[in-house]
Amino acid sequence: MKILACYSNKGGVGKTATSVNLAYASALKGRRTLLCDLDPQGASGFYYRVKPSKKLKGKSFFKDVECFTRAIRGSDFDNLDLVPANLTYRDFDIFLSRMKNSRSRLKKALRAVDSDYDVIILDCPPNISLLSENVFKVADKIIVPVIPTTLSVRTLEQLYTFFGKNKYQRKKLIPFFSMVQKSKNLHKETMVSLRGQYKNILESSIPFSTEIEKMGVHRAPVLTYAGTKSVGNAYIKIWKDIEKRAKIG
Amino acid sequence: MAPFTYRFTSVFNPKKFKEIVHSGHRYTVFYENSETYSCSLLDTFDNELMQAGRLLFKAEKLLFAFDMQTGQFAEQKVRRHWSFVSELDEGPIFNLLAGVSPLRALAPIGVVNVQKGQGNLLDDEGKTRVRLINLTLINGKKSATVGSSRPLRGYDRAHGDLKKWLSALDAIPCQDLVELYTSLGIAVSKYNPKPRLQLVAQDSIKKNTTIIIKTFLRVARANEDGVIADIDTEFLHDYRVSFRKIRSVLSLFKDVYSQEDSVRLKHDFSELMRQTNKLRDLDVYLLNKEEYYSLVPKTTHAGLAILFNGFEKERRAEHENVAQYLKSKAYRKQLKKWQTLFGNEDNLESGPKSGEFTSGFARRILLQRYKKVCKIARSIDATTEDEVVHQLRIHCKKLRYLMEFFTTLFPAEEIRQRIKSLKRLQDNLGRFNDYSVQQIFLKNVLAGQPAGNAKGIKVAESIGALTAMLHRLQNKERRQVMKNFERFDSPEIRESFDKLFKNEVIANENPGLLQQ
């Protein structure tokens, strides 16, 4: 099982769209995938039409691992389940450590209900100070969408600095360019210069697309309604790259 | 997340279903029907699929299957002609049929029109909470719908609601197909290669002997058409096993029929079985083809290919002979004569033990046979001749047949356990025998090969390699025999055999004697 966190310390970079679509791409490849909506402002659950579970709001939620497995909802798609959550960060910490510890009750409980997932994708909240640093320790890879603009470059620099300072493994970070507009010179230039600076950036990128905007209307992953369009292919391609980097499968 | 598998006694009505769901205002339903396919319903001759609660349909280029136990539906395209599961491409149907005997052909048992319906129960966000799938089957004027509903994870409550609505529309839980077949007017074949013989303990052994033979004559005859049509090799196998059982009865049930009758019948049945010996040998060979290829080095594969081509050709000719034989007037007349003969015990002359109670007779010969098995097995060590091991195999087989014939006279679980305890040893001995028979067969094939030409040399090479491997395997089995017998001869098993078969022997001997 691999845990992938989808994280950005800046909002509005297409983080939730990334989580939603990568989870779908993973499931499409036959990987048993669990998408955890950990961002109170995020909308992974919304895009999959899954209502937030009332049970998840209780403080004692993680005391009882069965509650966790009971909170899992099947999406409308094969191999893809969701935890539509509104977690507190404290719960989130416990959630992660249990998820990772193979001897934990949570892991056992997951196995017991035949949900030993191949891939768990965490749609994380966009705030570094509040975000539990457990994510950085526990996740196998951290996928970071970056819009190729000056501001985004700064936040990526901040993230790398933060990792360096706190002795987290910088190689866990997998940045990729999101909402790319090839017609804009600024985007092109920024991409070239950043690629020179950070070798880790993924080859493939996600274009700016109205199809992604339409997710709110369709309330479904892009690949379900625009699978043959370039943006659909981009998600498939980027997932392939991530699988390779994270050694999934 | 357990599925609900159900059957409607009539055709499912989507309109009514929608009405009933929508009246609750919490959910909506999406439901659509496929086109109607004209299909053959497939099963093996011994109804393997029906017994496992599985429906398998073949439309022109499409297969679909429905598993009543798990509610699973599967669909797969088929391109070419196929009869066996192993001939299917990998896919959902192939996976669903994984447990079906690789030796049995799947053949049409009926023709039905099939329409598939798929539905989703959606909440107010348009999220699917439960899925359902229905198959409506139409045979002339008769029709029925089977289906299953399955909640998506975390939506059991919605599934509870759906089950209520389905029940309101007369869906009844259903995991078994007999009722469905009956309601559709599809004939359910009652073929069972191992029929449970309902013997009465207090009946005379002559009466029950006659019943046993009559039963296995029927089993054998049920296979004739399949052998002639060459549907699969199991028809001939079951046919031969039935006659082997009859022969065992005639030789083991001593003095039940007059000596004259017994000798003549034994001879006649042996003659009959001889007619199919060669075909069965070739079948076994061809069934093992892949294994043989894996046993020998690749350099000898060319020789094996020539050898197997020869076997295939020979088998075609031999099958033709057997088919002609089974269709012949003489054969049919003979079988009919036997069926009449064994139709009534009075048609056969009684032997000195004919009046004995079945229970006493059974216990006596079972105990005798058991002791014989133990005696031979205990005498076996590393230096014993192979021939003795063969004897042990034959006696073990006879012991098992006896236990099977008389199953109903003993407590079911105990007799089942005894048969099971013998199984490992029997399998071991069976393999020992197979390897030995195959070596002899190959030796004969080799003798018939033309000497000197290139083809002959290649074949000789492959036979040499194969024989060496078979010999090694045979020795391996040989070493296992003592070990397996030790397990079989444990004090607990010995005691259980004694306990099961020793009782009442004396008490039952009297009535038999009185009748003499």
Side-chain angles (χ1 to χ4, degrees):
Chain A
M1 184 183 73
K2 296 280 182 190
I3 298 179
L4 306 177
C6 196
Y7 173 78
S8 168
N9 44 336
K10 183 183 179 305
V13 294
K15 181 182 56 64
T16 293
T18 304
S19 306
V20 165
N21 288 304
L22 290 186
Y24 182 81
S26 166
L28 202 62
K29 278 200 80 175
R31 312 246 182 252
R32 287 161 303 164
T33 307
L34 180 67
L35 171 60
C36 300
D37 191 357
L38 303 173
D39 179 1
Q41 285 161 17
S44 297
F46 172 80
Y47 289 124
Y48 281 105
R49 299 168 186 252
V50 176
K51 293 182 182 180
S53 167
K54 280 175 199 159
K55 282 178 200 146
L56 277 170
K57 289 173 187 162
K59 270 192 178 174
S60 62
F61 169 61
F62 280 108
K63 284 186 187 154
D64 184 357
V65 281
E66 267 181 38
C67 276
F68 174 78
T69 55
R70 249 187 269 148
I72 298 175
R73 294 284 176 271
S75 77
D76 285 9
F77 311 102
D78 287 345
N79 300 316
L80 181 55
D81 291 347
L82 265 82
V83 181
N86 225 344
L87 302 180
T88 65
Y89 296 124
R90 195 185 134 272
D91 287 340
F92 182 29
D93 272 355
I94 304 167
F95 164 78
L96 284 173
S97 56
R98 289 202 173 149
M99 195 67 105
K100 194 67 183 175
N101 180 357
S102 61
R103 281 174 298 180
S104 78
R105 286 173 62 206
L106 175 62
K107 185 90 183 210
K108 278 183 195 157
L110 281 174
R111 209 170 279 155
V113 290
D114 192 25
S115 348
D116 223 2
Y117 295 98
D118 301 317
V119 176
I120 294 180
I121 295 178
L122 311 173
D123 184 11
C124 301
N127 195 319
I128 205 160
S129 56
L130 279 176
L131 173 68
S132 161
E133 291 166 15
N134 242 336
V135 169
F136 301 145
K137 275 191 213 149
V138 155
D140 294 289
K141 293 287 172 195
I142 300 145
I143 298 156
V144 190
V146 180
I147 306 176
T149 59
T150 327
L151 191 60
S152 292
V153 171
R154 262 195 62 210
T155 52
L156 183 63
E157 276 165 4
Q158 279 171 0
L159 187 61
Y160 270 100
T161 313
F162 182 83
F163 262 62
K165 240 192 214 166
N166 293 283
K167 300 202 169 87
Y168 297 127
Q169 295 175 25
R170 289 160 64 123
K171 64 176 182 195
K172 277 190 181 178
L173 294 168
I174 310 183
F176 74 94
F177 292 117
S178 168
M179 300 163 88
V180 176
Q181 287 173 277
K182 288 250 164 83
S183 58
K184 285 189 176 170
N185 273 337
L186 174 69
H187 277 205
K188 279 198 274 187
E189 285 160 17
T190 313
M191 282 166 78
V192 173
S193 102
L194 265 188
R195 282 194 199 282
Q197 206 180 331
Y198 301 104
K199 302 291 176 207
N200 244 0
I201 297 178
L202 283 182
E203 194 75 20
S204 37
S205 58
I206 301 295
F208 179 82
S209 164
T210 51
E211 296 298 346
I212 298 176
E213 307 296 319
K214 283 185 200 159
M215 269 172 61
V217 181
H218 291 285
R219 295 189 67 184
V222 168
L223 281 161
T224 60
Y225 59 89
T228 53
K229 298 197 172 159
S230 64
V231 64
N233 288 328
Y235 279 116
I236 294 283
K237 214 167 153 229
I238 213 159
W239 176 249
K240 211 172 147 191
D241 289 353
I242 290 168
E243 279 197 343
K244 220 171 173 183
R245 285 272 182 99
K247 298 191 172 94
I248 296 168
Chain B
M1 288 206 295
F4 172 51
T5 320
Y6 50 82
R7 178 167 73 87
F8 286 97
T9 41
S10 57
V11 173
F12 173 75
N13 185 336
K15 206 177 148 201
K16 268 194 190 165
F17 176 58
K18 278 182 191 173
E19 271 170 24
I20 197 167
V21 174
H22 293 170
S23 67
H25 302 296
R26 286 184 59 198
Y27 301 103
T28 51
V29 162
F30 171 80
Y31 190 89
E32 69 178 353
N33 271 324
S34 74
E35 58 181 293
T36 302
Y37 298 95
S38 169
C39 296
S40 307
L41 178 62
L42 307 180
D43 205 344
T44 62
F45 184 59
D46 52 355
N47 306 307
E48 230 181 294
L49 293 184
M50 190 193 76
Q51 276 164 23
R54 288 174 186 161
L55 287 162
L56 178 65
F57 303 98
K58 185 183 176 295
E60 203 182 340
K61 283 178 183 166
L62 199 63
L63 281 177
F64 25 86
F66 187 68
D67 188 327
M68 300 293 288
Q69 305 286 328
T70 63
Q72 207 186 338
F73 174 83
E75 199 173 297
Q76 189 175 325
K77 278 187 183 155
V78 271
R79 274 163 293 160
R80 51 196 158 76
H81 174 75
W82 68 283
S83 300
F84 299 90
V85 174
S86 59
E87 291 172 338
L88 284 174
D89 292 335
E90 275 213 33
I93 298 267
F94 178 83
N95 295 337
L96 193 82
L97 300 178
V100 175
S101 162
L103 299 176
R104 290 249 73 146
L106 287 155
I109 56 163
V111 178
V112 277
N113 284 329
V114 181
Q115 188 179 45
K116 185 179 81 175
Q118 269 177 301
N120 294 345
L121 183 70
L122 307 165
D123 65 14
D124 53 356
E125 304 270 335
K127 163 92 183 73
T128 301
R129 295 204 164 187
V130 186
R131 290 198 175 112
L132 74 153
I133 189 149
N134 289 330
L135 289 180
T136 296
L137 317 172
I138 304 151
N139 182 23
K141 283 183 182 164
K142 292 177 173 164
S143 58
T145 298
V146 287
S148 75
S149 59
R150 189 189 299 270
L152 266 65
R153 180 156 192 174
Y155 296 113
D156 288 335
R157 202 183 292 166
H159 192 215
D161 291 339
L162 183 87
K163 280 199 257 187
K164 263 187 260 158
W165 295 322
L166 289 171
S167 303
L169 292 169
D170 289 336
I172 45 170
C174 172
Q175 294 195 317
D176 137 60
L177 290 175
V178 178
E179 278 176 36
L180 175 75
Y181 279 20
T182 315
S183 71
L184 285 169
I186 295 168
V188 179
S189 139
K190 291 199 174 75
Y191 177 74
N192 179 0
K194 287 184 180 173
R196 207 176 147 80
L197 295 155
Q198 294 298 342
L199 307 182
V200 178
Q202 304 304 311
D203 278 349
S204 76
I205 185 64
K206 188 183 177 196
K207 182 176 176 186
N208 280 328
T209 304
T210 313
I211 289 175
I212 296 171
I213 296 179
K214 186 174 85 177
T215 306
F216 284 105
L217 269 176
R218 203 177 56 227
V219 176
R221 295 222 73 179
N223 284 288
E224 286 167 354
D225 290 345
V227 176
I228 293 168
D230 208 10
I231 294 168
D232 65 45
T233 55
E234 285 299 277
F235 285 96
L236 181 63
H237 176 253
D238 285 2
Y239 173 88
R240 286 172 55 84
V241 169
S242 306
F243 280 118
R244 199 177 301 131
K245 284 182 177 166
I246 292 173
R247 283 173 58 197
S248 288
V249 170
L250 290 169
S251 68
L252 293 172
F253 293 22
K254 285 198 177 70
D255 295 334
V256 172
Y257 298 141
S258 71
Q259 209 191 347
E260 200 191 337
D261 270 0
S262 296
V263 170
R264 183 174 39 82
L265 286 165
K266 266 192 271 185
H267 171 266
D268 290 352
F269 278 109
S270 295
E271 267 306 296
L272 175 112
M273 275 197 79
R274 229 160 42 87
Q275 305 291 332
T276 53
N277 281 352
K278 195 170 176 193
L279 183 58
R280 178 62 194 164
D281 281 349
L282 286 161
D283 277 348
V284 171
Y285 249 81
L286 289 164
L287 288 172
N288 286 336
K289 189 172 167 180
E290 263 179 49
E291 195 198 337
Y292 292 151
Y293 270 79
S294 70
L295 283 177
V296 294
K298 275 201 172 132
T299 48
T300 60
H301 283 188
L304 273 190
I306 301 169
L307 195 62
F308 274 99
N309 277 341
F311 288 160
E312 269 159 31
K313 218 170 125 190
E314 212 176 325
R315 191 198 173 276
R316 278 196 293 275
E318 194 51 36
H319 172 258
E320 189 49 41
N321 290 341
V322 168
Q324 287 307 328
Y325 170 68
L326 294 182
K327 285 192 274 189
S328 70
K329 263 192 190 158
Y331 170 83
R332 303 249 151 176
K333 209 173 135 191
Q334 173 72 80
L335 266 288
K336 218 165 182 184
K337 204 175 109 193
W338 277 333
Q339 280 183 303
T340 315
L341 183 69
F342 291 101
N344 185 341
E345 56 176 307
D346 296 336
N347 295 340
L348 291 130
E349 266 183 54
S350 296
K353 293 271 162 54
S354 63
E356 199 172 324
F357 273 179
T358 301
S359 57
F361 184 91
R363 284 170 207 274
R364 181 159 55 77
I365 62 170
L366 272 162
L367 203 59
Q368 270 171 10
R369 193 59 42 186
Y370 170 65
K371 283 183 174 160
K372 202 156 202 166
V373 165
C374 291
K375 196 178 159 194
I376 299 176
R378 282 185 202 130
S379 77
I380 290 177
D381 60 29
T383 60
T384 312
E385 294 277 316
D386 281 358
E387 186 44 42
V388 182
V389 183
H390 284 300
Q391 284 304 317
L392 178 63
R393 181 185 69 85
I394 291 162
H395 286 295
C396 278
K397 194 177 248 181
K398 285 179 175 171
L399 177 60
R400 200 197 70 219
Y401 282 169
L402 287 178
M403 287 195 279
E404 284 174 359
F405 295 149
F406 295 127
T407 293
T408 47
L409 303 181
F410 299 97
E413 185 50 29
E414 279 184 48
I415 196 87
R416 201 182 65 82
Q417 285 299 334
R418 300 294 76 73
I419 293 174
K420 208 175 139 195
S421 65
L422 193 60
K423 193 174 183 315
R424 192 194 288 254
L425 179 62
Q426 260 207 304
D427 288 347
N428 176 197
L429 289 164
R431 284 190 298 271
F432 171 83
N433 182 59
D434 287 348
Y435 293 135
S436 152
V437 170
Q438 286 159 15
Q439 286 172 66
I440 296 165
F441 185 83
L442 284 175
K443 205 172 142 191
N444 292 336
V445 173
L446 190 62
Q449 287 297 310
N453 72 4
K455 246 187 175 181
I457 290 169
K458 268 190 185 166
V459 171
E461 270 173 9
S462 65
I463 289 181
L466 200 50
T467 308
M469 283 310 296
L470 291 170
H471 185 69
R472 232 161 89 181
L473 288 169
Q474 189 190 358
N475 281 343
K476 202 176 129 197
E477 292 299 334
R478 172 80 161 72
R479 287 193 292 274
Q480 292 291 321
V481 171
M482 279 181 283
K483 218 181 192 178
N484 280 327
F485 176 70
E486 244 168 67
R487 202 192 310 259
F488 175 69
D489 199 32
S490 70
E492 300 85 55
I493 292 182
R494 223 180 304 161
E495 197 188 330
S496 64
F497 267 97
D498 280 349
K499 206 177 120 199
L500 197 59
F501 301 140
K502 253 185 184 164
N503 295 342
E504 298 175 47
V505 171
I506 297 160
N508 271 331
E509 270 172 358
N510 294 335
L513 292 170
L514 284 173
Q515 285 185 21
Q516 280 172 32

